[in-house]
Amino acid sequence: MRKLILGLAITLDGYIEGPNGEYDWCFTDQDYGLDSFFKQIDAIFIGRKSYEMMQQQTEGQNGETIPGMPVLPEYVFSKTLTSVKEGAVLISGDSIAEARKLKNQAGMDIWLFGGASLFHSLMKEGLVDELWLSVHPILLGAGKLLFAEQEHRTKLKLLESKTYESGLLSIRYGVEYA
């Protein structure tokens, strides 16, 4: 079975974006492990807000969202969108059933790119296998938190950690469901 890996930037105080949706605090001076990560995935799960943000960013960068990112099938999870760009697939029905179906297909791992709501829904159903967090050395103090209150504890197993000279800490945890 393919692994579903949440991979994103987060501040030390747990925010994934600032109060106005900004992510100007994210380091872009090197790849921070993205090149090797791109070699292990062949699809992306993305929520509506993250999808729309990526589309805006792509327009200003000649079609490239993240430097070095290959073109991958994107599965956009949204109950409000009616269409997505060519090559993307809109998941608007039973998102959990669709995620489970896609995860059970043959292939490489899947990148859960963004969407705190999507992340929480998939975690609640036991579908997220790993958390790969790029912890940036900044305290935003406000914005959108990644982690919300949960119904129960979730144990994590440290798989890898790496510290960069910039102060960024890359950590990978396996999710251990009870």
Side-chain angles (χ1 to χ4, degrees):
M1 181 186 301
R2 304 159 87 172
K3 289 190 291 186
L4 181 58
I5 303 169
L6 172 72
L8 50 69
I10 188 167
T11 65
L12 187 59
D13 53 351
Y15 293 97
I16 56 174
E17 63 184 47
N20 300 308
E22 68 273 17
Y23 52 92
D24 57 347
W25 47 269
C26 290
F27 294 160
T28 57
D29 60 319
Q30 56 184 296
D31 89 328
Y32 292 106
L34 279 173
D35 286 342
S36 61
F37 180 67
F38 290 149
K39 293 175 185 166
Q40 78 179 75
I41 61 170
D42 67 358
I44 298 174
F45 284 5
I46 187 167
R48 179 191 56 82
K49 290 179 190 172
S50 297
Y51 171 76
E52 290 174 339
M53 180 225 29
M54 275 182 61
Q55 293 312 299
Q56 289 176 348
Q57 185 176 340
T58 300
E59 291 170 9
Q61 296 183 24
N62 298 324
E64 188 175 54
T65 306
I66 299 169
M69 183 172 139
V71 176
L72 300 168
E74 293 178 31
Y75 296 92
V76 183
F77 291 76
S78 173
K79 298 213 184 293
T80 58
L81 289 176
T82 56
S83 66
V84 291
K85 70 179 183 180
E86 186 176 330
V89 177
L90 179 61
I91 308 290
S92 59
D94 185 346
S95 59
I96 299 302
E98 284 298 315
R100 196 171 270 120
K101 180 177 132 187
L102 291 164
K103 199 175 164 201
N104 285 321
Q105 291 177 351
M108 297 168 62
D109 295 335
I110 302 168
W111 183 10
L112 176 50
F113 176 79
S117 297
L118 178 59
F119 165 66
H120 290 290
S121 297
L122 296 172
M123 274 291 287
K124 185 176 181 180
E125 295 297 321
L127 295 174
V128 178
D129 300 290
E130 287 184 20
L131 308 178
W132 177 40
L133 305 175
S134 296
V135 183
H136 287 63
I138 186 169
L139 302 172
L140 284 186
K144 183 171 194 131
L145 288 167
L146 174 60
F147 300 106
E149 287 187 26
Q150 299 182 67
E151 296 173 7
H152 54 81
R153 292 181 185 183
T154 303
K155 290 188 178 187
L156 305 174
K157 179 181 180 180
L158 182 64
L159 303 173
E160 178 182 45
S161 66
K162 183 173 182 179
T163 305
Y164 292 87
E165 287 184 21
S166 63
L168 184 137
L169 175 62
S170 173
I171 49 176
R172 281 184 46 234
Y173 287 104
V175 180
E176 297 182 347
Y177 294 100

